[in-house]
Amino acid sequence: MKELLIIAIGSALVNNVVLSQFLGICPFLGVSKKVDTAAGMGGAVVFVITIASFVTGLIYKFILTPLGFEYLQTIVFILIIAALVQFVEMFLKKAMPPLYNALGVYLPLITTNCAVLGVALTNVQKEYNLLQGVINGIGTSVGFLIAIVIMAGIREKIEYNDISESFQGTPIVLVTASLMAIAFCGFSGLI
């Protein structure tokens, strides 16, 4: 139990996928304009990464490894992630149309979100068993959710501040992201 807690906290805070590993930057910067939209994207990423961690772990352990096809892991993982994102997209379109419309083009981009593929490959690289891989996926995706919601909250506050013209828009967002990354470095001594 202690080992699983260390994996979860480590992947969520210490090795935050966005702020430490710099994976998933596109949706992090693109969808973090409003907290509601950021939370919706974070929720979708939590679902996709968690399910992808489980399914890719099963396929790697019970199909690719016994057949000696480990070298196909990246291609197979991408196909699995694409299928899961299509499922999430259909669900959101049917169940939550406002969120589906707010996410726009960024929802299908979860397929190419390198954070999702990065988690699946990390699980294989660190030789996690199925449970450890799912816990790593949950921790990583919760870390993504935390980072994107904090960024959205800061961006909503920045909108009403007096910022010099040269820093308005993307520059101030990048400065904010870099300061968040520095702040998350403080968690490095946690584990």
Side-chain angles (χ1 to χ4, degrees):
M1 185 66 176
K2 182 180 177 184
E3 181 182 351
L4 296 177
L5 187 61
I6 289 172
I7 291 172
I9 291 173
S11 58
L13 298 175
V14 177
N15 298 317
N16 186 285
V17 71
V18 176
L19 301 172
S20 295
Q21 298 175 9
F22 305 111
L23 299 174
I25 296 293
C26 177
F28 175 70
L29 296 176
V31 184
S32 62
K33 292 179 182 169
K34 300 211 176 291
V35 173
D36 295 341
T37 309
M41 174 58 110
V45 169
V46 167
F47 178 78
V48 170
I49 288 181
T50 302
I51 300 300
S53 296
F54 178 72
V55 174
T56 56
L58 281 177
I59 290 177
Y60 184 80
K61 183 174 182 175
F62 294 112
I63 296 174
L64 296 180
T65 302
L67 296 175
F69 291 147
E70 293 94 348
Y71 59 91
L72 293 174
Q73 69 186 10
T74 304
I75 294 169
V76 171
F77 291 175
I78 289 171
L79 293 173
I80 292 168
I81 292 164
L84 289 171
V85 169
Q86 288 301 312
F87 172 73
V88 169
E89 189 173 1
M90 289 186 306
F91 174 77
L92 288 179
K93 188 174 186 178
K94 200 80 155 156
M96 300 177 209
L99 180 59
Y100 174 80
N101 292 330
L103 292 175
V105 70
Y106 291 100
L107 186 58
L109 283 178
I110 294 175
T111 302
T112 58
N113 185 346
C114 53
V116 182
L117 180 60
V119 171
L121 294 174
T122 299
N123 290 343
V124 170
Q125 181 185 15
K126 292 189 176 184
E127 298 178 357
Y128 286 153
N129 63 34
L130 202 57
L131 180 60
Q132 290 171 328
V134 170
I135 295 298
N136 183 46
I138 292 169
T140 300
S141 58
V142 167
F144 180 85
L145 175 65
I146 290 169
I148 197 169
V149 168
I150 290 173
M151 175 60 110
I154 293 171
R155 284 181 75 174
E156 282 184 356
K157 295 289 184 189
I158 286 176
E159 189 175 328
Y160 301 108
N161 289 341
D162 185 28
I163 298 171
S164 69
E165 189 175 331
S166 60
F167 276 100
Q168 290 178 3
T170 304
I172 195 66
V173 172
L174 293 175
V175 168
T176 303
S178 64
L179 292 173
M180 284 177 60
I182 291 170
F184 269 68
C185 284
F187 290 119
S188 62
L190 191 63
I191 294 180

